[in-house]
Amino acid sequence: MDRLRVPCTKELEFGGVLGAALLILLMPTTVFYLLLTCRTEQASLLNFFPALPMLRSLWDPQDFVLVVAWIALQALLYVLPMGKITEGITLRDKSRLQYRISGSYSLGVTALVVGASLAAGLRLSYVYDHFLQMAFSASLVAFGLSIFLYLKALLAPETALAPGGNSGNPIYDFFMGHELNPRIGTFDLKYFCELRPGLLGWALINMAMLVKETELRGNPSLAMILVNAFQLLYVVDAFWHEEAILTTMDITHDGFGFMLAFGDLTWVPFLYSLQAYFLVTHPQKLSLPMTGGIILLNGLGYTIFRGANSQKNTFRRNPADPKVAGLRTIPTATGRRLLVSGWWGFVRHPNYLGDLIMAFAWSLPCGLTHILPYFYVLYFAVLLIHREARDEHQCLRKYGLAWQEYCRRVPYRIFPYLY
């Protein structure tokens, strides 16, 4: 059984223990700094000391209950016998975990619940009025979950630990995630948090911002409609292709710790909705030509993003599928083949390129006078470049000479002719 033990993590990421400790503080600080700045008249990122609310004003028991109730609703929908059962990748002990693919059903039921609540008089703009309090409550839930995950991992078998979160340092492992696939029975905590409460929360928050703008000005602006439509498309796409998440780095390599827990429960819903939040207090007018250009740009990004991901997933499931059978490949020592044509012969990470183009299109409706709504683009560029470096390192270690040949034939990483 010793050979099945997860080796101790030697290569520490994110600046090691010190970097992990700083990020545990920096991530919540960034969320509240941006949300507080967004509500100021200038919305300037150079205002490093926005007026800080009293800590007791951030705590609202009712808002905490609402956040927990939202997560509980999604958890209930997750355990209902809807959708199909599929298997994840083969683990170190040669087992394969089963997952219920039912996100689209959860999306539909959630939409019905929200619609019925609105018809019954729910004031959705309450989310905007209590945005800071809800973000604070979500942060408390994320910290609490992270502590539970770390303590649970201490009792987990060696084979269940994450290859990237087994350093032996409690701060680093708390941040990275000590256990790879923490479960309570058949309830997979990481898989559940990866999509459901955060992404659906993001879409709901955007809708709340649209409702708030309508209350303030009589009707939603074209800019707000575009932001809602673009980001809702992204959320619906994620649930429609939910099964593809089982092959991502988050699921296959990273443990479930503070990095992903806070990211899923707080960072995604409360910062990814920053453009809609900005537009409530900083309305923008768009001309029809500008609107058309933004729609085309988002369409281009989505086409690249979806085309690349679909091509990769189709090839992984069945290389003989007529859609991908004609693509050129490079054989590897592991028995797998690397795509070297189609989208994956254009750049090494075409899905990242599409993601960044869409992110830019989401920010453009907010105008060009403030950089704050473009935080998502800047952050996402840093995130994807860092993730790309992690991908490259793992692929080189896994595929060796075949990966070197792939890099020679596809020299650009994300941006053609630039990077």
Side-chain angles (χ1 to χ4, degrees):
M1 291 294 293
D2 286 345
R3 63 188 179 87
L4 294 179
R5 295 178 62 182
V6 176
C8 186
T9 306
K10 300 295 185 183
E11 298 178 3
L12 303 188
E13 302 181 73
F14 299 100
V17 176
L18 179 60
L22 289 175
L23 284 170
I24 292 171
L25 298 174
L26 185 61
M27 289 173 68
T29 301
T30 300
V31 169
F32 287 96
Y33 165 66
L34 290 173
L35 295 185
L36 287 168
T37 301
C38 195
R39 295 189 83 146
T40 63
E41 184 177 350
Q42 298 80 15
S44 172
L45 290 179
L46 298 179
N47 180 19
F48 294 111
F49 302 100
L52 298 177
M54 297 295 291
L55 185 60
R56 63 175 177 271
S57 71
L58 292 176
W59 167 250
D60 187 317
Q62 177 174 296
D63 294 332
F64 183 80
V65 169
L66 287 174
V67 169
V68 172
W70 170 256
I71 297 172
L73 170 64
Q74 298 309 317
L76 174 62
L77 295 177
Y78 175 72
V79 299
L80 291 178
M82 302 184 295
K84 68 175 183 177
I85 302 294
T86 191
E87 292 185 329
I89 66 167
T90 303
L91 302 175
R92 290 179 61 85
D93 61 2
K94 306 305 180 184
S95 66
R96 298 179 70 181
L97 295 175
Q98 292 189 331
Y99 297 88
R100 182 175 295 279
I101 307 299
S102 60
S104 295
Y105 295 96
S106 295
L107 175 64
V109 173
T110 300
L112 291 175
V113 170
V114 172
S117 299
L118 289 173
L122 173 71
R123 183 173 167 267
L124 196 55
S125 57
Y126 178 92
V127 174
Y128 173 84
D129 298 335
H130 291 249
F131 204 46
L132 289 173
Q133 289 80 6
M134 288 186 168
F136 184 73
S137 294
S139 299
L140 292 179
V141 173
F143 270 100
L145 175 61
S146 301
I147 293 170
F148 168 78
L149 290 168
Y150 181 75
L151 295 177
K152 179 182 181 301
L154 296 179
L155 304 176
E158 287 275 346
T159 55
L161 301 183
N166 190 30
S167 70
N169 183 282
I171 295 176
Y172 185 81
D173 294 345
F174 171 82
F175 175 75
M176 292 296 296
H178 197 32
E179 190 175 357
L180 181 61
N181 300 294
R183 289 189 164 201
I184 300 176
T186 59
F187 192 101
D188 192 294
L189 293 165
K190 179 169 66 171
Y191 180 67
F192 165 71
C193 288
E194 190 74 12
L195 284 183
R196 295 164 191 261
L199 280 189
L200 286 177
W202 174 20
L204 184 63
I205 288 170
N206 276 351
M207 187 185 300
M209 301 306 159
L210 184 148
V211 171
K212 183 64 178 182
E213 186 185 50
T214 303
E215 289 181 359
L216 292 174
R217 302 185 183 93
N219 57 272
S221 65
L222 184 55
M224 180 69 81
I225 292 172
L226 286 183
V227 168
N228 267 259
F230 291 163
Q231 296 182 351
L232 181 60
L233 170 65
Y234 191 83
V235 171
V236 171
D237 178 89
F239 282 98
W240 188 257
H241 299 94
E242 179 184 4
E243 192 170 353
I245 198 176
L246 297 179
T247 60
T248 62
M249 182 183 291
D250 285 357
I251 299 296
T252 62
H253 179 267
D254 292 338
F256 192 36
F258 180 82
M259 179 179 70
L260 289 181
F262 188 85
D264 292 339
L265 299 179
T266 306
W267 189 277
V268 168
F270 291 95
L271 279 195
Y272 283 21
S273 56
L274 194 63
Q275 289 97 345
Y277 189 53
F278 173 85
L279 287 171
V280 174
T281 49
H282 303 84
Q284 305 290 321
K285 290 186 178 181
L286 298 179
S287 66
L288 289 181
M290 181 69 170
T291 300
I294 294 173
I295 292 173
L296 289 176
L297 184 64
N298 188 74
L300 171 64
Y302 180 76
T303 298
I304 296 172
F305 169 80
R306 177 42 46 211
N309 279 326
S310 294
Q311 196 174 76
K312 176 184 66 176
N313 294 328
T314 299
F315 183 77
R316 283 179 173 175
R317 286 197 305 269
N318 180 17
D321 189 297
K323 297 177 182 178
V324 296
L327 297 176
R328 295 188 301 276
T329 61
I330 297 175
T332 72
T334 66
R336 297 183 63 177
R337 304 184 73 87
L338 301 176
L339 281 174
V340 73
S341 65
W343 287 112
W344 300 88
F346 180 53
V347 290
R348 296 180 211 165
H349 301 275
N351 50 339
Y352 293 176
L353 174 63
D355 243 333
L356 287 170
I357 292 174
M358 283 191 292
F360 187 56
W362 299 349
S363 301
L364 283 174
C366 298
L368 301 173
T369 58
H370 292 80
I371 195 172
L372 189 146
Y374 292 83
F375 168 81
Y376 178 83
V377 185
L378 300 174
Y379 147 75
F380 215 48
V382 173
L383 172 71
L384 292 182
I385 289 173
H386 177 263
R387 182 175 288 242
E388 175 270 327
R390 296 177 72 199
D391 286 342
E392 297 266 333
H393 181 70
Q394 289 188 35
C395 288
L396 179 61
R397 187 165 53 186
K398 186 175 182 180
Y399 301 121
L401 293 176
W403 184 256
Q404 292 179 2
E405 172 62 15
Y406 174 68
C407 293
R408 185 189 68 80
R409 294 172 65 173
V410 185
Y412 298 105
R413 299 168 183 256
I414 300 177
F415 304 100
Y417 307 105
L418 292 176
Y419 175 75

